Amino acid sequence: MKRRKFLRNAGFSGIASFTGLNIVFGANIPEGYEILGLQEPDPFKMFDLDSEMIVLNNKPFNIEAQAHLLDDKITPNSKMFIRNNGLIPKSIHADQWKLEIMGESVKEIKSYTLDELKTKFKSYTYQLTLECGGNGRSEFDPPAKGNQWTVGAVHCAQWTGVRLKDVLEDVGINEDAVYVGYHARDVHLSGDSSKEPISRGVPIRKAYQNETLLAYEMNGAPIPLVHGFPLRLVAGGWPASASGKWIHQLSVRNKEHDGSKMGGMSYRVPKFPVSPGEKVDEGDMKIIESMPVKSLITYPKTGATFKKSKILHIRGHAWAGELEVSKMEYSIDFGATWVSCDLERPLNRLAWQHFKADILFPQKGYYEVWAKATDADGNAQPMLVPGWNPKGYLNNACHRIAVKVV
Ligand SMILES: Nc1nc2c(c(=O)[nH]1)N[C@H]1C(S)=C(S)[C@@H](COP(=O)(O)O)O[C@H]1N2
Ligand SMILES: [Mo]
């Protein structure tokens, strides 16, 4: 155990961290050979993660939370899921960083240093819900390829930055502008610098919302590298893939942006319901925009045991893309009857909402607590996994936890 830890630690600061240990037969190491002690970087140390985070993939890093880890009202850095399509950029010099605004629909190309963005424009802070479009993918049957997210690919951190619309106004954009695409500094998995791992974005109407930020701070400090340092587009309520990390260019397009992972099956769902496993033509797919209504019970942890005489205080969060959540209910009888929870208003638009309820169980035994949110348009979470789709997006089925009452 100790030795393993030592070797894992060694992966971060390179050979030097072998604390002066001599690699006895070091002279025999062929050039370019990576010694075992330097392989397998430890994501828990690299990203300062809570020890209960779950690593789904380490090349690229994809890491999710568990429901009970998301109990904080504002998600702390150590409990935020991580989703990368490529490799995290290595050397970033924030003092030399520039954001260039270009594309067919700008009056002229303009670029800003980080300092210019910070001093020229007013800054705003919002708590914004970002959920991966593939959160819940693991429950689809037949299974969809990709990271098998369970429930933990969602976070609601506090983001500080300038409004994208203020910057676009300063640049001057043409009337024919349709979409804003981002270009970022992460590296394609192939290492090929002519390929982008991902280049998505938002339509102009989303770009012009007050809460759509060019953010340089997260939870009151510079954005951690893995979440997009030094500059990130943050478009709350939309699949988090729209929120580009490490952005250095925005392209104001006169048509739907056609960057990497905008087309084909990526971040798209069928325009009409399909049967499980059905092959769907690319032309029948549409881009995911606002995310569907969803909720999580963050206390207690599933499987917990309680005394029958005690009231159980459950709590969690609910969110509904661009809409507000208007009703939150729980059931302890497998969905036969539902009881209202106390539901708070969001701190600001596009922030998740907190709920709580007091439950007194009728007798000892095994229970499941199910949670169901309803949005302002009257759409409720389904009890079963909804609409199968080829890439396993948008599973907003009710979250449920097991409770033992003794
Ligand atoms: N440049 C860049 N931005 C990106 C990604 C990426 O791979 N590269 N992944 C996107 C996806 S699919 C998600 S779900 C979110 C994850 O954000 P997080 O890692 O900060 O939680 O970032 C989005 N922005
Ligand atoms: Mo994602």
Side-chain angles (χ1 to χ4, degrees), residues 94 290 307:
S290 179
K307 284 235 151 54

Side-chain angles (χ1 to χ4, degrees), residues 10 43 70 92 105 130 143 175 240 253 262 269 277 279 297 312 315:
L70 294 171
I92 285 182
S105 295
L130 292 184
E175 292 228 321
R253 308 296 310 267
M262 280 298 286
V269 287
K279 221 174 143 29
I297 303 166
L312 172 61
R315 59 177 180 259

Side-chain angles (χ1 to χ4, degrees), residues 60-63 80-87 89 130-134 149 153-155 159 182-187 197-200 218 223-224 226-228 232-233 239-247 261 267:
F61 280 114
N62 288 298
I63 299 168
M80 288 174 67
F81 82 93
I82 290 170
R83 161 68 170 134
N84 293 309
N85 289 264
L87 304 172
L130 292 184
E131 181 179 16
C132 180
W149 306 107
V154 59
H155 48 58
W159 297 91
Y182 63 75
H183 297 282
R185 286 282 183 217
D186 45 347
V187 179
I198 188 167
S199 169
R200 304 194 71 246
M218 188 188 94
I223 302 175
V226 69
H227 294 293
R232 177 173 196 168
L233 175 63
S241 53
S243 294
K245 308 193 267 191
W246 313 291
I247 56 168
K261 303 211 172 164
Y267 305 104

Side-chain angles (χ1 to χ4, degrees), residues 101-352:
I101 320 274
M102 27 86 85
E104 304 102 2
S105 295
V106 292
K107 301 237 187 295
E108 56 175 341
I109 296 177
K110 223 167 164 173
S111 72
Y112 303 87
T113 63
L114 289 177
D115 265 353
E116 282 165 347
L117 285 177
K118 289 177 191 172
T119 51
K120 202 162 175 183
F121 304 97
K122 192 170 173 329
S123 80
Y124 297 85
T125 298
Y126 300 110
Q127 206 192 327
L128 298 166
T129 311
L130 292 184
E131 181 179 16
C132 180
N135 196 21
R137 174 179 292 137
S138 63
E139 288 186 88
F140 281 103
D141 185 25
K145 271 197 221 141
N147 291 293
Q148 295 301 301
W149 306 107
T150 65
V151 295
V154 59
H155 48 58
C156 195
Q158 207 164 50
W159 297 91
T160 300
V162 299
R163 285 181 173 158
L164 174 55
K165 70 169 178 187
D166 290 350
V167 177
L168 294 179
E169 287 293 287
D170 190 63
V171 173
I173 66 169
N174 297 332
E175 292 228 321
D176 65 354
V178 169
Y179 225 92
V180 178
Y182 63 75
H183 297 282
R185 286 282 183 217
D186 45 347
V187 179
H188 194 268
L189 285 177
S190 63
D192 182 342
S193 61
S194 68
K195 289 186 183 157
E196 288 176 292
I198 188 167
S199 169
R200 304 194 71 246
V202 290
I204 288 292
R205 75 188 133 82
K206 180 66 174 167
Y208 267 73
Q209 286 182 6
N210 286 343
E211 300 80 10
T212 301
L213 296 180
L214 292 169
Y216 42 79
E217 280 185 16
M218 188 188 94
N219 290 338
I223 302 175
L225 176 63
V226 69
H227 294 293
F229 179 83
L231 193 66
R232 177 173 196 168
L233 175 63
V234 185
W238 280 41
S241 53
S243 294
K245 308 193 267 191
W246 313 291
I247 56 168
H248 66 100
Q249 272 178 337
L250 290 176
S251 187
V252 185
R253 308 296 310 267
N254 62 6
K255 56 177 184 184
E256 200 173 270
H257 182 52
D258 51 2
S260 167
K261 303 211 172 164
M262 280 298 286
M265 306 304 253
S266 298
Y267 305 104
R268 287 173 179 251
V269 287
K271 289 176 182 158
F272 43 81
V274 301
S275 48
E278 193 176 320
K279 221 174 143 29
V280 186
D281 284 343
E282 281 184 17
D284 291 331
M285 303 290 282
K286 60 169 188 211
I287 298 178
I288 301 168
E289 299 200 327
S290 179
M291 293 290 286
V293 62
K294 200 161 171 180
S295 60
L296 266 187
I297 303 166
T298 59
Y299 180 86
K301 180 180 174 173
T302 188
T305 301
F306 296 93
K307 284 235 151 54
K308 187 194 161 296
S309 55
K310 284 249 168 79
I311 289 173
L312 172 61
H313 305 285
I314 64 158
R315 59 177 180 259
H317 319 289
W319 60 96
E322 300 232 300
L323 296 174
E324 212 175 295
V325 177
S326 57
K327 187 165 67 172
M328 189 68 217
E329 296 161 293
Y330 75 86
S331 172
I332 58 167
D333 55 11
F334 300 96
T337 61
W338 293 89
V339 183
S340 284
C341 301
D342 286 336
L343 176 67
E344 288 178 29
R345 299 288 310 279
L347 193 72
N348 52 255
R349 197 175 159 265
L350 311 182
W352 65 16

